[in-house]
Amino acid sequence: KRWIAEDETRKEIERFVLGGGSDFIASMRDALHEWGRLTENQEAAVRKVMAREEKREAERTAQTAIARINELSASPRPYLLVVHFMDAHDPYLAPAEWRGTRSAAPGPSIPGFDEDRARYWEEVDYLDSQLGRVFTALDATERPYVLMVTGDHGEHLGELGMLGHSDELYEPVVRVPFFLAGPGVPQA
């Protein structure tokens, strides 16, 4: 069943990419959930528009965080800065220079999911590079800081035959990273 005509798909995608909210990935995900199933041509239209997107959300988020770090560190006062990255999210499509950099994901192969798993890890690699930019900016301030990194959810990458995340509580979705580092924080 077709839920939305292809020309309407293109218009909706353009609205989310060019004039939607500040979060490109969340906007695309919301659009995909709102539309339900997409035809192969509609899926191709989504991926084509996403491939055109030169600056992914993590790059914009990192740039904003760096500017804010520079602004806040000019004052001797302590500050709290919360930076929320949305990458890596479905659909797994890293920026062009990161695509195809992984032929496989870490860990054992899961037949039928290996390509999605590799694409997810390309997005993780890209996100890691953007986090590195923020950490470098923090180090450049030469001020002590406490850093906390965590995630809001995990991701199914073929476990239990599932991909992505939704409203279930299986381990791949509830297991998230948590790092805390800085002066006075005991090392594990």
Side-chain angles (χ1 to χ4, degrees):
K1 178 179 179 182
R2 293 184 83 149
W3 289 82
I4 192 164
E6 293 201 25
D7 58 336
E8 293 175 34
T9 302
R10 191 173 297 106
K11 288 177 189 172
E12 282 298 301
I13 293 168
E14 294 288 343
R15 181 175 67 82
F16 277 113
V17 173
L18 302 175
S22 63
D23 187 333
F24 172 90
I25 298 299
S27 296
M28 289 304 297
R29 188 182 65 247
D30 292 346
L32 291 171
H33 285 299
E34 180 182 329
W35 295 334
R37 294 179 301 153
L38 299 179
T39 66
E40 284 184 33
N41 288 342
Q42 290 166 337
E43 174 86 15
V46 169
R47 292 197 180 276
K48 183 176 181 181
V49 170
M50 290 183 68
R52 250 191 6 237
E53 180 71 8
E54 292 298 321
K55 236 181 180 178
R56 288 293 295 266
E57 189 65 23
E59 187 174 344
R60 289 189 294 258
T61 302
Q63 193 58 45
T64 301
I66 291 166
R68 192 74 175 124
I69 288 166
N70 292 334
E71 179 185 324
L72 291 168
S73 65
S75 166
R77 295 177 42 151
Y79 62 89
L80 169 69
L81 179 63
V82 176
V83 182
H84 182 211
F85 287 92
M86 285 295 294
D87 307 69
H89 259 107
D90 178 43
Y92 311 127
L93 190 65
E97 63 272 19
W98 294 91
R99 284 185 225 139
T101 57
R102 284 191 179 253
S103 58
S109 171
I110 301 178
F113 294 95
D114 289 341
E115 185 176 338
D116 288 314
R117 290 165 48 86
R119 298 304 73 82
Y120 172 81
W121 280 99
E122 288 170 358
E123 282 219 344
V124 169
D125 292 342
Y126 163 66
L127 176 58
D128 182 66
S129 75
Q130 298 307 309
L131 284 169
R133 292 178 57 218
V134 174
F135 299 162
T136 299
L138 282 168
D139 288 339
T141 68
E142 298 183 353
R143 290 178 60 170
Y145 61 87
V146 175
L147 177 70
M148 184 187 86
V149 177
T150 191
D152 59 342
H153 57 76
E155 196 83 352
H156 280 287
L157 295 171
E159 304 87 356
L160 303 170
M162 302 170 99
L163 187 64
H165 61 275
S166 62
D167 298 331
E168 78 282 326
L169 295 175
Y170 293 114
E171 186 172 354
V173 173
V174 298
R175 181 178 285 227
V176 297
F178 180 85
F179 302 95
L180 189 62
V185 177
Q187 292 189 7

